[in-house]
PDB file of all heavy atoms in Angstrom:
ATOM      1  N   ALA A 257      66.227 142.149 104.344  1.00  0.00           N
ATOM      2  CA  ALA A 257      67.514 142.707 103.983  1.00  0.00           C
ATOM      3  C   ALA A 257      67.471 143.273 102.558  1.00  0.00           C
ATOM      4  O   ALA A 257      68.027 144.332 102.271  1.00  0.00           O
ATOM      5  CB  ALA A 257      68.603 141.670 104.126  1.00  0.00           C
ATOM      6  N   MET A 258      66.815 142.553 101.655  1.00  0.00           N
ATOM      7  CA  MET A 258      66.710 143.008 100.272  1.00  0.00           C
ATOM      8  C   MET A 258      65.922 144.310 100.195  1.00  0.00           C
ATOM      9  O   MET A 258      66.278 145.230  99.417  1.00  0.00           O
ATOM     10  CB  MET A 258      66.072 141.925  99.403  1.00  0.00           C
ATOM     11  CG  MET A 258      66.944 140.684  99.204  1.00  0.00           C
ATOM     12  SD  MET A 258      66.174 139.380  98.225  1.00  0.00           S
ATOM     13  CE  MET A 258      66.538 139.962  96.585  1.00  0.00           C
ATOM     14  N   GLU A 259      64.860 144.422 100.970  1.00  0.00           N
ATOM     15  CA  GLU A 259      64.078 145.659 100.985  1.00  0.00           C
ATOM     16  C   GLU A 259      64.946 146.826 101.454  1.00  0.00           C
ATOM     17  O   GLU A 259      64.895 147.928 100.893  1.00  0.00           O
ATOM     18  CB  GLU A 259      62.865 145.496 101.912  1.00  0.00           C
ATOM     19  CG  GLU A 259      61.786 144.573 101.347  1.00  0.00           C
ATOM     20  CD  GLU A 259      60.611 144.459 102.331  1.00  0.00           C
ATOM     21  OE1 GLU A 259      60.645 145.141 103.367  1.00  0.00           O
ATOM     22  OE2 GLU A 259      59.670 143.715 102.028  1.00  0.00           O
ATOM     23  N   GLU A 260      65.764 146.583 102.489  1.00  0.00           N
ATOM     24  CA  GLU A 260      66.613 147.633 103.038  1.00  0.00           C
ATOM     25  C   GLU A 260      67.679 148.054 102.009  1.00  0.00           C
ATOM     26  O   GLU A 260      67.988 149.220 101.856  1.00  0.00           O
ATOM     27  CB  GLU A 260      67.293 147.141 104.327  1.00  0.00           C
ATOM     28  CG  GLU A 260      67.992 148.207 105.134  1.00  0.00           C
ATOM     29  CD  GLU A 260      67.024 149.076 105.914  1.00  0.00           C
ATOM     30  OE1 GLU A 260      65.842 148.671 106.055  1.00  0.00           O
ATOM     31  OE2 GLU A 260      67.458 150.121 106.418  1.00  0.00           O
ATOM     32  N   VAL A 261      68.260 147.072 101.301  1.00  0.00           N
ATOM     33  CA  VAL A 261      69.241 147.377 100.285  1.00  0.00           C
ATOM     34  C   VAL A 261      68.634 148.210  99.141  1.00  0.00           C
ATOM     35  O   VAL A 261      69.232 149.184  98.670  1.00  0.00           O
ATOM     36  CB  VAL A 261      69.848 146.070  99.717  1.00  0.00           C
ATOM     37  CG1 VAL A 261      70.694 146.355  98.483  1.00  0.00           C
ATOM     38  CG2 VAL A 261      70.697 145.374 100.790  1.00  0.00           C
ATOM     39  N   LEU A 262      67.445 147.809  98.715  1.00  0.00           N
ATOM     40  CA  LEU A 262      66.749 148.577  97.668  1.00  0.00           C
ATOM     41  C   LEU A 262      66.503 150.004  98.091  1.00  0.00           C
ATOM     42  O   LEU A 262      66.706 150.956  97.316  1.00  0.00           O
ATOM     43  CB  LEU A 262      65.421 147.889  97.315  1.00  0.00           C
ATOM     44  CG  LEU A 262      65.511 146.610  96.485  1.00  0.00           C
ATOM     45  CD1 LEU A 262      64.191 145.888  96.445  1.00  0.00           C
ATOM     46  CD2 LEU A 262      65.990 146.926  95.067  1.00  0.00           C
ATOM     47  N   MET A 263      66.062 150.187  99.349  1.00  0.00           N
ATOM     48  CA  MET A 263      65.798 151.540  99.856  1.00  0.00           C
ATOM     49  C   MET A 263      67.086 152.364  99.926  1.00  0.00           C
ATOM     50  O   MET A 263      67.112 153.547  99.571  1.00  0.00           O
ATOM     51  CB  MET A 263      65.166 151.467 101.242  1.00  0.00           C
ATOM     52  CG  MET A 263      64.785 152.792 101.826  1.00  0.00           C
ATOM     53  SD  MET A 263      63.518 153.662 100.852  1.00  0.00           S
ATOM     54  CE  MET A 263      62.122 152.521 101.106  1.00  0.00           C
ATOM     55  N   PHE A 264      68.189 151.712 100.361  1.00  0.00           N
ATOM     56  CA  PHE A 264      69.475 152.388 100.465  1.00  0.00           C
ATOM     57  C   PHE A 264      69.928 152.944  99.119  1.00  0.00           C
ATOM     58  O   PHE A 264      70.332 154.116  99.004  1.00  0.00           O
ATOM     59  CB  PHE A 264      70.526 151.394 101.012  1.00  0.00           C
ATOM     60  CG  PHE A 264      71.937 151.914 100.965  1.00  0.00           C
ATOM     61  CD1 PHE A 264      72.388 152.821 101.898  1.00  0.00           C
ATOM     62  CD2 PHE A 264      72.816 151.484  99.987  1.00  0.00           C
ATOM     63  CE1 PHE A 264      73.714 153.292 101.862  1.00  0.00           C
ATOM     64  CE2 PHE A 264      74.119 151.973  99.924  1.00  0.00           C
ATOM     65  CZ  PHE A 264      74.575 152.866 100.875  1.00  0.00           C
ATOM     66  N   TYR A 265      69.817 152.138  98.047  1.00  0.00           N
ATOM     67  CA  TYR A 265      70.271 152.577  96.747  1.00  0.00           C
ATOM     68  C   TYR A 265      69.270 153.530  96.087  1.00  0.00           C
ATOM     69  O   TYR A 265      69.664 154.394  95.292  1.00  0.00           O
ATOM     70  CB  TYR A 265      70.527 151.368  95.856  1.00  0.00           C
ATOM     71  CG  TYR A 265      71.856 150.704  96.156  1.00  0.00           C
ATOM     72  CD1 TYR A 265      71.926 149.532  96.903  1.00  0.00           C
ATOM     73  CD2 TYR A 265      73.062 151.272  95.692  1.00  0.00           C
ATOM     74  CE1 TYR A 265      73.144 148.931  97.190  1.00  0.00           C
ATOM     75  CE2 TYR A 265      74.298 150.666  95.984  1.00  0.00           C
ATOM     76  CZ  TYR A 265      74.301 149.491  96.722  1.00  0.00           C
ATOM     77  OH  TYR A 265      75.528 148.902  97.028  1.00  0.00           O
ATOM     78  N   LYS A 266      68.003 153.383  96.423  1.00  0.00           N
ATOM     79  CA  LYS A 266      66.982 154.284  95.853  1.00  0.00           C
ATOM     80  C   LYS A 266      67.237 155.703  96.323  1.00  0.00           C
ATOM     81  O   LYS A 266      67.143 156.675  95.569  1.00  0.00           O
ATOM     82  CB  LYS A 266      65.613 153.806  96.223  1.00  0.00           C
ATOM     83  CG  LYS A 266      64.495 154.627  95.591  1.00  0.00           C
ATOM     84  CD  LYS A 266      63.121 154.037  95.928  1.00  0.00           C
ATOM     85  CE  LYS A 266      62.014 154.846  95.255  1.00  0.00           C
ATOM     86  NZ  LYS A 266      60.659 154.274  95.603  1.00  0.00           N
ATOM     87  N   ILE A 267      67.529 155.845  97.612  1.00  0.00           N
ATOM     88  CA  ILE A 267      67.794 157.164  98.201  1.00  0.00           C
ATOM     89  C   ILE A 267      69.002 157.791  97.550  1.00  0.00           C
ATOM     90  O   ILE A 267      69.084 159.019  97.383  1.00  0.00           O
ATOM     91  CB  ILE A 267      67.962 157.043  99.729  1.00  0.00           C
ATOM     92  CG1 ILE A 267      66.624 156.632 100.385  1.00  0.00           C
ATOM     93  CG2 ILE A 267      68.498 158.341 100.336  1.00  0.00           C
ATOM     94  CD1 ILE A 267      66.747 156.322 101.848  1.00  0.00           C
ATOM     95  N   ARG A 268      69.965 156.972  97.169  1.00  0.00           N
ATOM     96  CA  ARG A 268      71.236 157.456  96.584  1.00  0.00           C
ATOM     97  C   ARG A 268      71.205 157.399  95.049  1.00  0.00           C
ATOM     98  O   ARG A 268      72.207 157.031  94.408  1.00  0.00           O
ATOM     99  CB  ARG A 268      72.406 156.650  97.142  1.00  0.00           C
ATOM    100  CG  ARG A 268      72.676 157.075  98.608  1.00  0.00           C
ATOM    101  CD  ARG A 268      73.319 155.918  99.379  1.00  0.00           C
ATOM    102  NE  ARG A 268      73.493 156.317 100.770  1.00  0.00           N
ATOM    103  CZ  ARG A 268      72.536 156.277 101.698  1.00  0.00           C
ATOM    104  NH1 ARG A 268      71.306 155.873 101.353  1.00  0.00           N
ATOM    105  NH2 ARG A 268      72.746 156.640 102.932  1.00  0.00           N
ATOM    106  N   ASP A 269      70.080 157.655  94.468  1.00  0.00           N
ATOM    107  CA  ASP A 269      69.930 157.726  93.009  1.00  0.00           C
ATOM    108  C   ASP A 269      70.217 156.406  92.326  1.00  0.00           C
ATOM    109  O   ASP A 269      70.757 156.336  91.197  1.00  0.00           O
ATOM    110  CB  ASP A 269      70.858 158.840  92.450  1.00  0.00           C
ATOM    111  CG  ASP A 269      70.394 159.277  91.047  1.00  0.00           C
ATOM    112  OD1 ASP A 269      69.226 159.074  90.727  1.00  0.00           O
ATOM    113  OD2 ASP A 269      71.238 159.748  90.298  1.00  0.00           O
ATOM    114  N   ASN A 270      69.908 155.297  93.010  1.00  0.00           N
ATOM    115  CA  ASN A 270      69.887 153.963  92.400  1.00  0.00           C
ATOM    116  C   ASN A 270      71.191 153.546  91.757  1.00  0.00           C
ATOM    117  O   ASN A 270      71.266 153.389  90.539  1.00  0.00           O
ATOM    118  CB  ASN A 270      68.751 153.874  91.395  1.00  0.00           C
ATOM    119  CG  ASN A 270      68.355 152.423  91.139  1.00  0.00           C
ATOM    120  OD1 ASN A 270      68.730 151.533  91.914  1.00  0.00           O
ATOM    121  ND2 ASN A 270      67.588 152.197  90.086  1.00  0.00           N
ATOM    122  N   GLY A 271      72.250 153.370  92.559  1.00  0.00           N
ATOM    123  CA  GLY A 271      73.521 152.835  92.040  1.00  0.00           C
ATOM    124  C   GLY A 271      73.591 151.308  92.105  1.00  0.00           C
ATOM    125  O   GLY A 271      74.666 150.738  92.033  1.00  0.00           O
ATOM    126  N   LEU A 272      72.438 150.677  92.260  1.00  0.00           N
ATOM    127  CA  LEU A 272      72.386 149.217  92.394  1.00  0.00           C
ATOM    128  C   LEU A 272      72.526 148.562  91.010  1.00  0.00           C
ATOM    129  O   LEU A 272      71.813 148.878  90.077  1.00  0.00           O
ATOM    130  CB  LEU A 272      71.068 148.776  93.039  1.00  0.00           C
ATOM    131  CG  LEU A 272      70.881 147.292  93.296  1.00  0.00           C
ATOM    132  CD1 LEU A 272      71.887 146.786  94.310  1.00  0.00           C
ATOM    133  CD2 LEU A 272      69.462 147.024  93.799  1.00  0.00           C
ATOM    134  N   GLU A 273      73.464 147.602  90.894  1.00  0.00           N
ATOM    135  CA  GLU A 273      73.693 146.871  89.651  1.00  0.00           C
ATOM    136  C   GLU A 273      73.112 145.441  89.693  1.00  0.00           C
ATOM    137  O   GLU A 273      72.570 144.968  88.699  1.00  0.00           O
ATOM    138  CB  GLU A 273      75.177 146.834  89.329  1.00  0.00           C
ATOM    139  CG  GLU A 273      75.786 148.213  89.088  1.00  0.00           C
ATOM    140  CD  GLU A 273      77.262 148.135  88.817  1.00  0.00           C
ATOM    141  OE1 GLU A 273      77.802 147.030  88.590  1.00  0.00           O
ATOM    142  OE2 GLU A 273      77.927 149.201  88.836  1.00  0.00           O
ATOM    143  N   ARG A 274      73.272 144.776  90.839  1.00  0.00           N
ATOM    144  CA  ARG A 274      72.765 143.424  90.997  1.00  0.00           C
ATOM    145  C   ARG A 274      72.284 143.212  92.422  1.00  0.00           C
ATOM    146  O   ARG A 274      72.945 143.601  93.375  1.00  0.00           O
ATOM    147  CB  ARG A 274      73.799 142.380  90.652  1.00  0.00           C
ATOM    148  CG  ARG A 274      73.978 142.047  89.187  1.00  0.00           C
ATOM    149  CD  ARG A 274      75.064 141.003  88.972  1.00  0.00           C
ATOM    150  NE  ARG A 274      74.724 139.720  89.562  1.00  0.00           N
ATOM    151  CZ  ARG A 274      75.605 138.728  89.689  1.00  0.00           C
ATOM    152  NH1 ARG A 274      76.851 138.878  89.290  1.00  0.00           N
ATOM    153  NH2 ARG A 274      75.224 137.580  90.236  1.00  0.00           N
TER     154      ARG A 274
END
Side-chain angles (χ1 to χ4, degrees):
M258 292 178 83
E259 288 180 4
E260 191 77 13
V261 169
L262 285 169
M263 183 63 66
F264 171 78
Y265 282 102
K266 185 176 181 180
I267 293 173
R268 287 153 184 81
D269 199 23
N270 201 14
L272 182 64
E273 297 178 11
R274 276 180 64 191

